[in-house]
Amino acid sequence: MSRADPTCSPNDGIAKLVDNHKDRFAAGVATLAFNNPDAALTEIDRAIEDLGLRGIQIGTDVNGRPLDSPDLMAVYETMASHDLPIFIHPSRNYLAPDYPGEVESKYNLFSLIGWPHATSMAMMRLACSGILERFPTLKFITHHAGGTIPYLAKRIELADRRELPRPIGDYLRLFFGDTAVQGNTANLICARTFFGPDHLLFGTDFPFNRNISMNLRTIEEMGIPIPDTEKILKENARRLLRLT
Amino acid sequence: MSRADPTCSPNDGIAKLVDNHKDRFAAGVATLAFNNPDAALTEIDRAIEDLGLRGIQIGTDVNGRPLDSPDLMAVYETMASHDLPIFIHPSRNYLAPDYPGEVESKYNLFSLIGWPHATSMAMMRLACSGILERFPTLKFITHHAGGTIPYLAKRIELADRRELPRPIGDYLRLFFGDTAVQGNTANLICARTFFGPDHLLFGTDFPFNRNISMNLRTIEEMGIPIPDTEKILKENARRLLRLT
């Protein structure tokens, strides 16, 4: 892999890492430059078909634009045709102030509570805009167990007046969430109640959190049946990423 | 009460309602015009001492400014001296767009998920700025069981690097939350786990939610001891509002 190679992207590196350490990595996902939608589509096909990656990652916004922006429709269509998931990671940074008169986010709040909110916003825009109605097989995996959506679900369902064929909760339950909740068992129980055991996947938030045994313990502390734990730890990921 | 009376404010009306319907209203709280801080302080004293109101309400921001704005310190000092609570209600509206390129909030998201986020932001600014350290007896009652703070608590506690005398979680647990969660039992259990039974108060969100029996059922469904339920339904409010 040469630096001068025009096809050299972070995705080549990720694919090589997975190939070289199959005992540690079940799969990798692609990172894309969404500022160039045509090139992104070509790279999705290359990353999945040539490099063997098993999904893509997208931010909660693309250069400030929401995930229901029209130029992302081709990306969703492509990922639906590949039948592989889109991982949503929060992308807000400290340069976005939390209050009008300020120049940047204070106290790290853009991340501490801004990231889960940005995840919820992205999920709501995907649901309310009808994208999940248009691409019913498209799969989105959200970080931190669905942002704050499971916590706010009843509020959203009670107040929603969208003109969509199905209730808003039906769309929101199409999302998947990882279990990276930093040991908050009550949080994870709330997320499991909302998503059900088929839509949660084990996640660690490494390297932000390095205590992997805490992640495992939080799942144990939910007190759910063993088959559900197996789904969360292995089977859901196998199914979504289409691993053999 | 004449319209020409310079002391006529919504607070006179609230006080009269409470006085005329003591069988239905245990207490009322004051609304203030925080754009005039000096007048607000005078009105707080009048509302509490003359009208008998038992607290004040504040938005999650004051004309866009966060709740740790310096001009609010005198309000906090006054309320600490009265030993009566400040009710925080979300104040974000649809005119604040959720993404940079948009002119307003779409799909009612400013309220559906923006309001709990605004509550969390207000709580974090009060905690991180040291206001709860400075006024340790000051009591804030938050709507919807503490915004999203109980759900995000472990994330906040794990990542926090504030230079405050106590861990951030200690300050966040000083807040009180109401139980107006639209029937989301897992949400309420998460909030109770975080705040404990002494910091939750029965709330309905009327008239947005008119199903009061649902609010009561959600508390029942938590499966907590009867003494804790009594605290949530009555005793905590009696203590905070200093009702006889």
Side-chain angles (χ1 to χ4, degrees):
Chain A
M1 191 170 74
S2 145
R3 278 171 190 263
D5 181 351
T7 65
C8 172
S9 83
N11 302 324
D12 295 272
I14 292 287
K16 188 173 270 186
L17 262 177
V18 173
D19 284 343
N20 289 350
H21 302 280
K22 286 191 201 300
D23 56 323
R24 299 188 70 85
F25 299 117
V29 300
T31 298
L32 300 154
F34 289 108
N35 59 336
N36 185 338
D38 289 342
L41 292 180
T42 309
E43 178 66 0
I44 288 174
D45 289 342
R46 190 185 78 90
I48 291 170
E49 291 166 6
D50 300 350
L51 301 178
L53 297 184
R54 309 307 285 163
I56 67 169
Q57 179 172 253
I58 197 168
T60 42
D61 64 82
V62 171
N63 288 334
R65 282 176 294 119
L67 293 195
D68 55 338
S69 299
D71 60 325
L72 292 171
M73 293 309 121
V75 170
Y76 300 146
E77 198 168 0
T78 299
M79 289 311 296
S81 75
H82 283 298
D83 192 20
L84 284 170
I86 300 175
F87 290 67
I88 300 179
H89 195 281
S91 49
R92 193 165 169 167
N93 70 36
Y94 74 97
L95 293 172
D98 298 306
Y99 294 88
E102 305 190 333
V103 292
E104 58 185 46
S105 180
K106 290 179 79 170
Y107 306 118
N108 201 24
L109 298 185
F110 75 93
S111 156
L112 286 181
I113 63 172
W115 280 10
H117 178 62
T119 301
S120 299
M121 283 297 305
M123 294 167 73
M124 288 301 287
R125 292 290 290 245
L126 287 166
C128 294
S129 64
I131 288 174
L132 297 177
E133 176 65 30
R134 183 169 160 195
F135 302 106
T137 63
L138 189 54
K139 292 165 189 76
F140 289 95
I141 300 175
T142 62
H143 203 13
H144 307 309
T148 55
I149 290 295
Y151 200 65
L152 305 178
K154 294 276 184 188
R155 168 183 181 78
I156 294 165
E157 291 175 302
L158 184 70
D160 185 66
R161 298 287 180 275
R162 298 287 75 68
E163 287 183 10
L164 287 167
R166 294 155 63 188
I168 187 75
D170 285 10
Y171 299 107
L172 293 173
R173 286 182 182 84
L174 294 174
F175 286 95
F176 295 79
D178 74 23
T179 61
V181 294
Q182 285 86 28
N184 193 334
T185 309
N187 170 328
L188 200 56
I189 288 172
C190 184
R192 198 207 57 82
T193 304
F194 180 73
F195 285 122
D198 293 326
H199 278 239
L200 277 185
L201 298 100
F202 177 64
T204 59
D205 212 6
F206 187 90
F208 169 63
N209 161 54
R210 292 168 182 268
N211 189 347
I212 311 299
S213 61
M214 175 187 72
N215 292 91
L216 287 164
R217 198 168 54 242
T218 312
I219 293 170
E220 275 172 30
E221 285 173 356
M222 285 200 290
I224 58 175
I226 290 173
D228 286 355
T229 303
E230 291 292 299
K231 286 178 177 180
I232 293 169
L233 292 179
K234 288 185 287 192
E235 289 166 26
N236 293 341
R238 275 202 185 121
R239 187 178 81 248
L240 257 72
L241 303 170
R242 295 198 284 106
L243 302 175
T244 46
Chain B
M1 190 169 73
S2 147
R3 278 170 190 264
D5 181 350
T7 65
C8 172
S9 83
N11 302 324
D12 295 272
I14 292 287
K16 189 172 269 186
L17 262 177
V18 173
D19 283 343
N20 288 350
H21 303 279
K22 285 190 202 299
D23 56 323
R24 300 188 69 84
F25 299 117
V29 300
T31 298
L32 301 154
F34 289 108
N35 59 335
N36 186 338
D38 288 341
L41 293 180
T42 308
E43 178 68 359
I44 288 174
D45 288 342
R46 190 185 77 92
I48 290 171
E49 290 165 7
D50 299 350
L51 300 178
L53 298 183
R54 309 306 284 162
I56 67 169
Q57 178 172 253
I58 196 168
T60 42
D61 65 81
V62 172
N63 288 334
R65 284 175 293 119
L67 293 196
D68 55 338
S69 299
D71 60 325
L72 292 171
M73 293 310 120
V75 171
Y76 300 145
E77 199 169 359
T78 299
M79 288 311 295
S81 76
H82 283 299
D83 192 20
L84 284 171
I86 301 175
F87 290 68
I88 301 179
H89 194 282
S91 48
R92 194 165 169 166
N93 72 35
Y94 74 97
L95 293 171
D98 298 307
Y99 294 88
E102 305 189 335
V103 292
E104 58 185 45
S105 180
K106 290 180 77 170
Y107 305 118
N108 201 23
L109 299 185
F110 75 92
S111 156
L112 285 181
I113 62 172
W115 279 10
H117 178 62
T119 301
S120 299
M121 283 298 305
M123 294 168 72
M124 289 300 288
R125 292 290 290 246
L126 288 167
C128 294
S129 63
I131 287 173
L132 296 177
E133 176 65 30
R134 185 170 159 193
F135 301 106
T137 63
L138 190 55
K139 291 167 190 73
F140 289 95
I141 300 175
T142 63
H143 203 12
H144 307 308
T148 55
I149 291 294
Y151 200 65
L152 306 178
K154 294 276 185 187
R155 168 183 181 77
I156 294 165
E157 291 175 303
L158 184 70
D160 184 66
R161 299 286 178 277
R162 297 288 75 68
E163 287 183 10
L164 288 167
R166 294 156 62 189
I168 186 76
D170 285 9
Y171 299 107
L172 293 173
R173 286 182 182 84
L174 293 175
F175 286 95
F176 295 78
D178 74 23
T179 61
V181 295
Q182 283 87 27
N184 193 335
T185 309
N187 170 330
L188 200 56
I189 288 172
C190 185
R192 198 207 55 85
T193 304
F194 179 74
F195 285 123
D198 293 327
H199 278 239
L200 278 185
L201 298 99
F202 177 65
T204 60
D205 213 5
F206 188 90
F208 169 63
N209 160 55
R210 291 167 183 269
N211 188 347
I212 312 298
S213 60
M214 175 187 73
N215 293 92
L216 287 165
R217 199 167 54 243
T218 312
I219 293 170
E220 273 171 30
E221 285 174 356
M222 286 200 289
I224 59 175
I226 290 173
D228 286 355
T229 303
E230 291 291 300
K231 286 178 177 180
I232 293 169
L233 291 179
K234 287 184 287 191
E235 290 166 25
N236 293 340
R238 276 203 184 120
R239 189 178 79 248
L240 257 72
L241 301 171
R242 296 198 284 104
L243 302 175
T244 45

